[in-house]
Amino acid sequence: MTWNRDTAVRRQTAGRPLEVACDESGSDGENLTGGNTDVFAHASVHLPLASAAAHLQGIRDRIRSPAEEYKATHLLREKHRSVLEWLLGASGPLYGQAHVLLVEKSFFVVDRVMDLLLGDPAPALVLFRAGRERFGDERWRGFLEAANDLLRARSAGDPDAPVESFFQAVDAMQRAHPHGDVGEILALLGRARERARSHRARIGEGPAVVPLLNPLVPAIVRTAAYWSAGGRPVSLVHDEQNVLTAQRIAWIKETAPLAGLRLVDSRRDPRVQLADFLAGIARKIASDELNRRGDPTLTALLRPYADQDSVWGDERSGALLRSSSVSPTV
């Protein structure tokens, strides 16, 4: 690794917890199948504060927008394409210093409903990849929405209504295709009605420590695992999020485990602002690729940052987004 100032700082702080700054893009609460975005991205950046501030100023100097707060949308404008390519490229400040976990939201719903009802998320990939082609857009969309409603903590009206709607969708799909791997999965789901009712009953008792439909908490756990892979303790600095209650932070620190997790206003920490840029950029590039309007150059630039364990069901776009990675230079 070439010696530079950032490397020197890391050597001087060897043995201390590695402090990594994080932010997300694409959060739609519990509405994962009908929200504004189809991809969630969680980005993390490891840079000294002074270096991050200098890089942030460098971006401002290149873009020269009068906006007080820069967002990913500034970098995604065609007129700033060269700045975007520099930021993500091998000569940019983030290369080898950043990481992104991508979540395809509709697949996340199927993954979570399988884990809840079958105790095993493995069949999710089989059902998801067959779903739209096997059942058609309308029926598959109805299943996804019913699964989303079953899992969500907030719902109006009869608490059993999401259970009935979900199993009506499952029964209709099973009647249409009762055989093969997909038929077997649907049959297993059809026998899990009591588990679904138990889940709805638990929702009535109070909020869960880890909300099933919010990808942020598992994304933070995965981020901690990525940066601590070499055995070094990790502390995260994260943009403020309502879902990150004291109880959930305690659970994350125990589960990950983490040396620390503190919340900050992103406007006050340049490292978090860079993570915000990366999360928004990654979400847009991944969504474009998912919807077959991807830019090959930008997809290739994102690839080294994307986690190999991203929660992604679409086979074609997943292969393009996750085919290579760069280990963190810490």
Side-chain angles (χ1 to χ4, degrees), residues 6 10 44-47 93-99 227 305 328-330:
D6 291 352
R10 284 193 290 275
S44 51
V45 171
H46 171 62
L47 284 172
L94 300 182
Y95 196 82
Q97 317 290 341
H99 165 262
W227 288 102
Y305 299 92
T329 53
V330 296

Side-chain angles (χ1 to χ4, degrees), residues 56-281:
L56 197 62
Q57 185 59 50
I59 292 170
R60 297 187 69 93
D61 291 343
R62 289 167 185 251
I63 290 180
R64 297 187 177 279
S65 167
E68 290 187 10
E69 183 179 6
Y70 278 30
K71 304 296 286 186
T73 50
H74 288 90
L75 289 153
L76 288 165
R77 293 169 185 165
E78 186 58 37
K79 64 181 179 179
H80 300 313
R81 174 66 177 249
S82 62
V83 185
L84 175 59
E85 292 187 5
W86 162 78
L87 181 67
L88 295 179
S91 63
L94 300 182
Y95 196 82
Q97 317 290 341
H99 165 262
V100 180
L101 183 78
L102 299 169
V103 177
E104 184 183 357
K105 291 183 178 181
S106 56
F107 177 65
F108 184 77
V109 171
V110 178
D111 179 89
R112 293 298 81 209
V113 82
M114 292 294 174
D115 193 40
L116 173 70
L117 299 182
L118 304 185
D120 180 8
L125 199 58
V126 175
L127 180 60
F128 186 83
R129 289 184 174 173
R132 181 170 284 105
E133 181 179 351
R134 190 75 57 89
F135 302 106
D137 285 344
E138 184 176 352
R139 181 168 287 176
W140 179 242
R141 171 56 57 182
F143 170 77
L144 292 175
E145 291 174 353
N148 195 136
D149 287 343
L150 175 68
L151 297 177
R152 70 190 308 164
R154 296 180 182 179
S155 61
D158 183 356
D160 288 333
V163 176
E164 297 308 313
S165 296
F166 176 77
F167 285 99
Q168 286 174 10
V170 169
D171 291 345
M173 291 165 66
Q174 187 182 11
R175 287 194 301 271
H177 291 277
H179 305 298
D181 290 347
V182 170
E184 290 178 9
I185 293 168
L186 292 171
L188 290 171
L189 284 176
R191 294 195 287 269
R193 193 179 294 260
E194 287 308 311
R195 284 196 176 194
R197 286 183 176 139
S198 296
H199 167 68
R200 298 306 305 175
R202 287 193 297 273
I203 287 175
E205 295 169 0
V209 174
V210 182
L212 274 178
L213 275 182
N214 195 312
L216 178 60
V217 173
I220 293 173
V221 172
R222 172 57 194 159
T223 296
Y226 173 83
W227 288 102
S228 63
R232 184 172 177 178
V234 172
S235 179
L236 299 184
V237 179
H238 205 291
D239 185 33
E240 294 170 335
Q241 302 285 337
N242 290 336
V243 72
L244 294 177
T245 62
Q247 185 182 23
R248 286 172 182 151
I249 289 174
W251 183 91
I252 291 168
K253 290 169 67 176
E254 180 180 349
T255 303
L258 281 169
L261 172 57
R262 60 188 178 91
L263 305 182
V264 300
D265 183 339
S266 63
R267 294 168 296 182
R268 300 179 182 277
D269 192 312
R271 301 167 303 173
V272 177
Q273 290 180 53
L274 288 175
D276 177 53
F277 286 169
L278 181 56
I281 290 165

Side-chain angles (χ1 to χ4, degrees), residues 295-314:
D295 181 313
T297 299
L298 294 182
T299 297
L301 285 170
L302 177 62
R303 206 173 290 144
Y305 299 92
D307 195 310
Q308 296 296 298
D309 291 330
S310 288
V311 185
W312 204 265
D314 182 68

